[in-house]
C-alpha cells in the first residue's frame, strides 16, 4: 500500500528543523550528528561514515489513553531529555498508538488538540486540570497544540541534545499495553485493523521525515496470541511474516531512511525461526532478506525479556541466545543487529542487585547489543483506569524530578551505559 502522496497532504503544520550543533572542538572532524541514515551490516548498525552505532536508552511511553508522551504535567520536555542525557544514553524508544493517526484521518486530516485529548481520556474535571499543569511546565504549548506537535517537540529537543529517536508502534487503541485480551494482540483482533496499522505506520514514517533525530521505527510491540476471537486461529509465524512484510513496505515506501525493527511472537520474546532460517509454520516458507528488496540492510531484530525471577544467569543468557541473540553471531543463518528493547524491574534499593538485573547488566554490554530499559515514567497520566498512576519500575520518581533508585542509577545503570558504548 502506497500512501505517501495522501499522507504528505495531511501534514498540517511543520516545525522548524532543529539545526545540528557544531562540535566545540575545531579539530573535530566527525560528521555532524546524527550522521544518518543508518544501515545494517551483518550484526552491526552503522552510521553514514560506516562507524558502528549502538542504541542505549530508555522507553518513554506515549501510547496510553491521552496518546502523548508521559510526564509533561510534572516536567518540561527539556528537563526530561536532559535527565536521559545525564545517564550517558544516546536514544529513546518513543511509543505511539495507531488510534492517534486514525483520529487524524477521521477528524478531516486535522490532529486532535491537547484540550480534547486530555478531556477525552481523563474527563471534564481532571482533563482541563492536567492540561493546565502541562501548559505551566511546557509554556511553548497551548490548549490548541495538537498531540503530534507534542511528539514533534520531543523529537526536536532530542535532536538538540543529540538523542536518537526510535519510534515504536506500541498498540492500536491508546491504552496500557499488553495483555492477550486487550483487543490489540494480533492482526484482526478487536482494535487491531491491519489496514489502519499500515496506514498509521506510513503516516508516522512520513511525518517523521521532519525530525532530525528519528532513525528507526518498530513495526509492532509484542505480538501475542489473543485469548479468543477469529484472530486467534491465525496466530503463527506464517501470518506474522505476511504482516511484517506489509508493515516494512508501508514504512520503507514512506521514508526509506528508517531502520525497521521486527518483534517476535509471545510478547516479543523469541524470533528463533527467523534467526535459524527454519520454516515459518504452519507453512514451509522461510525468512529471506530477498523479500525486502533494496532495503535488506534496514532490518533489526528486537526482543523483550522479563524473566525477573531468574536465578541462574547462565540459563538467562542461554535463553536470550536461543530466543534470538544468536543473530549477533556467525552461527546464525540470518545475521542481524539484535536489541533488547524492553527489560525492567522494581526500582528500589536492592532488586537491581539480583540475578536478572545484574545478568543483563553484564550480558548486553558483552554482546555490544543495544537496549532500552522499561521505563522512564515515574507515573502515567492514566493507566488501566487509574489516574496519576505511580510506576514502581520507573527510573524517575512519581513527579519525574529525580531517580527513584539512585543506587541503581549510579552503581549499575550508568556503568552499563558506558560498558555498552565503550
Ligand atoms: C565495529 O564493527 C566491527 C566489525 O566491522 C567489529 O569488529 C568491532 O568490534 C565493532 N566495534 C565496536 C566498538 O563495537
Ligand atoms: C480505523 O480507522 C478509522 C478511522 O479512519 C476508524 O473509524 C476505525 O474505527 C479504525 N478501526 C479500528 C479497528 O480501530
Amino acid at each position: 500500500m502506497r500512501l505517501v502522496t495522501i499522507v504528505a497532504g495531511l501534514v498540517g503544520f511543520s516545525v522548524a528543523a532543529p539545526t545540528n550543533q557544531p562540535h566545540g572542538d575545531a579539530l573535530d572532524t566527525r560528521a555532524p550528528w546524527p550522521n544518518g541514515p543508518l544501515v545494517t551490516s551483518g550484526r552491526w548498525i552503522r552510521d553514514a561514515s560506516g562507524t558502528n552505532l549502538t542504541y542505549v536508552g530508555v522507553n518513554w511511553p506515549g501510547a496510553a489513553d491521552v496518546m502523548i508522551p508521559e510526564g509533561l504535567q510534572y516536567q518540561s520536555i527539556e528537563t526530561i531529555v536532559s535527565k536521559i542525557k545525564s545517564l550517558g544514553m544516546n536514544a529513546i524508544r518513543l511509543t505511539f498508538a495507531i488510534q492517534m493517526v486514525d483520529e487524524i484521518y477521521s477528524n478531516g486530516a486535522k490532529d486532535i488538540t491537547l484540550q480534547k485529548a486530555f478531556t477525552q481520556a481523563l474527563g471534564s474535571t481532571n482533563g482541563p486540570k492536567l492540561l493546565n499543569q502541562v501548559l505551566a511546565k511546557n509554556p511553548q504549548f497551548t490548549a490548541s497544540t495538537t498531540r503530534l506537535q507534542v511528539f514533534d517537540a520531543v523529537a526536536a529537543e532530542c535532536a538538540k541534545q543529540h538523542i536518537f529517536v526510535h519510534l515504536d508502534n506500541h498498540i492500536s487503541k491508546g491504552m496500557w499495553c499488553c495483555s492477550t485480551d486487550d483487543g490489540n494482540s494480533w492482526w484482526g483482533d478487536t482494535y487491531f485493523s491491519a489496514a489502519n496499522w499500515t496506514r498509521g505506520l506510513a503516516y508516522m514514517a512520513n511525518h517523521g521525515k521532519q525530525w532530525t533525530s528519528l532513525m528507526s521505527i518498530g513495526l509492532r510491540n509484542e505480538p501475542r496470541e489473543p485469548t479468543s476471537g477469529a484472530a486467534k486461529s491465525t496466530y503463527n509465524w506464517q501470518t506474522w511474516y505476511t504482516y511484517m512484510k506489509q508493515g516494512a513496505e508501508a514504512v520503507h515506501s514512506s521514508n526509506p531512511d528508517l531502520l525497521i525493527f521486527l518483534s517476535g511472537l509471545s510478547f516479543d520474546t523469541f524470533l528463533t525461526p527467523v534467526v535459524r532460517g527454519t520454516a515459518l509454520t504452519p507453512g514451509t516458507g522461510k525468512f529471506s532478506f530477498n523479500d525486502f528488496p533494496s532495503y535488506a540492510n534496514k532490518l533489526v531484530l528486537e526482543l523483550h525479556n522479563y524473566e525477573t525471577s531468574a536465578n541462574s544467569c547462565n540459563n538467562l543468557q542461554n535463553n536470550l541466545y536461543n530466543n534470538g541473540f544468536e543473530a549477533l553471531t556467525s552461527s546464525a543463518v540470518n545475521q542481524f543487529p539484535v536489541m533488547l528493547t524492553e527489560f525492567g524491574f522494581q526500582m528500589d534499593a536492592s532488586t537491581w542487585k539480583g540475578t536478572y538485573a545484574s545478568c543483563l547488566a553484564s550480558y548486553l554490554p558483552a554482546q555490544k547489543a543495544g537496549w532500552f530499559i522499561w521505563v522512564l515514567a515515574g507515573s502515567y497520566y492514566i493507566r488501566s483506569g487509574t489516574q496519576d498512576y505511580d510506576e514502581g519500575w520507573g527510573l524517575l520518581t512519581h513527579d519525574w524530578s529525580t531517580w527513584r533508585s539512585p543506587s541503581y542509577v549510579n552503581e549499575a545503570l550508568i556503568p552499563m551505559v558506558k560498558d555498552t558504548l565503550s
Side-chain angles (χ1 to χ4, degrees):
M1 242 213 271
R2 294 196 178 246
L3 295 157
V4 189
T5 354
I6 307 163
V7 160
L10 280 170
V11 179
F13 82 101
S14 65
V15 287
T19 50
N20 289 319
Q21 300 188 329
H23 292 286
D25 184 350
L27 297 175
D28 192 339
T29 53
R30 284 176 301 175
W33 190 93
N35 199 15
L38 306 181
V39 293
T40 68
S41 170
R43 61 139 298 175
W44 300 102
I45 294 174
R46 299 197 195 282
D47 68 16
S49 308
T51 305
N52 305 351
L53 188 154
T54 305
Y55 281 167
V56 174
V58 66
N59 280 276
W60 187 346
D65 313 46
V66 185
M67 289 174 260
I68 64 164
E70 300 283 345
L72 305 183
Q73 81 277 44
Y74 288 122
Q75 305 295 336
S76 70
I77 291 172
E78 185 184 359
T79 300
I80 296 170
V81 175
S82 301
K83 288 192 187 303
I84 297 166
K85 188 76 182 175
S86 75
L87 300 171
M89 289 176 166
N90 65 7
I92 59 168
R93 179 172 181 254
L94 182 61
T95 75
F96 74 94
I98 294 294
Q99 188 188 347
M100 175 173 73
V101 181
D102 289 345
E103 290 181 357
I104 295 172
Y105 278 92
S106 53
N107 191 43
K110 284 201 311 285
D111 191 14
I112 307 272
T113 63
L114 292 185
Q115 177 137 48
K116 184 160 182 194
F118 274 103
T119 297
Q120 210 166 255
L122 306 178
S124 56
T125 306
N126 289 346
K129 194 176 133 201
L130 257 282
L131 172 63
N132 285 336
Q133 290 175 280
V134 169
L135 300 184
K137 289 288 176 186
N138 293 274
Q140 75 273 36
F141 298 143
T142 69
S144 57
T145 298
T146 67
R147 292 187 293 214
L148 212 45
Q149 284 172 322
V150 176
F151 279 86
D152 291 338
V154 168
E157 184 60 34
C158 284
K160 210 168 146 192
Q161 300 201 38
H162 293 186
I163 298 283
F164 299 111
V165 173
H166 168 74
L167 261 182
D168 169 63
N169 172 228
H170 208 64
I171 199 163
S172 289
K173 183 179 167 62
M175 61 192 277
W176 174 252
C177 189
C178 302
S179 69
T180 55
D181 61 0
D182 63 9
N184 289 279
S185 55
W186 191 253
W187 293 268
D189 203 353
T190 314
Y191 304 117
F192 191 171
S193 147
N196 289 30
W197 172 69
T198 47
R199 181 179 71 175
L201 288 173
Y203 185 91
M204 292 304 283
N206 181 67
H207 182 82
K209 282 178 180 165
Q210 64 190 284
W211 301 352
T212 309
S213 48
L214 182 69
M215 313 308 282
S216 53
I217 187 167
L219 295 181
R220 186 68 174 194
N221 179 67
E222 300 194 351
R224 54 199 178 274
E225 181 172 16
T227 311
S228 57
K232 185 174 163 67
S233 63
T234 66
Y235 176 78
N236 57 51
W237 283 109
Q238 188 179 3
T239 306
W240 175 89
Y241 198 42
T242 300
Y243 287 117
M244 285 292 157
K245 285 185 286 187
Q246 284 182 21
E249 181 59 26
V251 167
H252 188 73
S253 60
S254 300
N255 184 342
D257 285 350
L258 298 180
L259 292 179
I260 296 169
F261 283 41
L262 311 180
S263 300
L265 293 197
S266 198
F267 293 86
D268 190 21
T269 54
F270 76 118
L271 279 153
T272 317
V274 176
V275 176
R276 299 201 172 147
T278 56
L280 299 169
T281 54
T284 53
K286 296 173 180 174
F287 175 88
S288 169
F289 284 108
N290 296 330
D291 290 331
F292 304 84
S294 85
Y295 61 106
N297 66 347
K298 288 291 189 183
L299 304 178
V300 175
L301 301 185
E302 61 172 316
L303 287 171
H304 292 178
N305 185 287
Y306 285 113
E307 293 177 67
T308 53
S309 51
N311 51 28
S312 158
C313 184
N314 226 17
N315 290 351
L316 179 55
Q317 294 187 2
N318 285 340
N319 291 347
L320 288 167
Y321 179 88
N322 289 322
N323 291 341
F325 276 83
E326 182 181 1
L328 295 173
T329 72
S330 54
S331 74
V333 170
N334 296 308
Q335 275 199 13
F336 293 87
V338 187
M339 278 195 63
L340 195 64
T341 52
E342 283 191 26
F343 68 97
F345 48 89
Q346 195 68 35
M347 279 297 137
D348 54 28
S350 60
T351 303
W352 63 270
K353 296 176 182 163
T355 304
Y356 170 74
S358 58
C359 188
L360 292 177
S362 63
Y363 179 78
L364 295 169
Q367 313 307 311
K368 294 276 175 269
W371 48 269
F372 289 112
I373 192 169
W374 185 274
V375 59
L376 181 63
S379 54
Y380 303 100
Y381 303 122
I382 181 171
R383 167 170 158 181
S384 309
T386 302
Q387 297 192 16
D388 201 24
Y389 187 104
D390 188 59
E391 174 56 274
W393 288 28
L395 286 183
L396 292 167
T397 49
H398 190 95
D399 67 357
W400 294 56
S401 63
T402 185
W403 306 120
R404 198 175 275 261
S405 173
S407 61
Y408 170 60
V409 166
N410 294 314
E411 294 169 47
L413 183 61
I414 291 174
M416 186 181 174
V417 171
K418 282 205 184 97
D419 290 350
T420 307
L421 295 176
S422 71

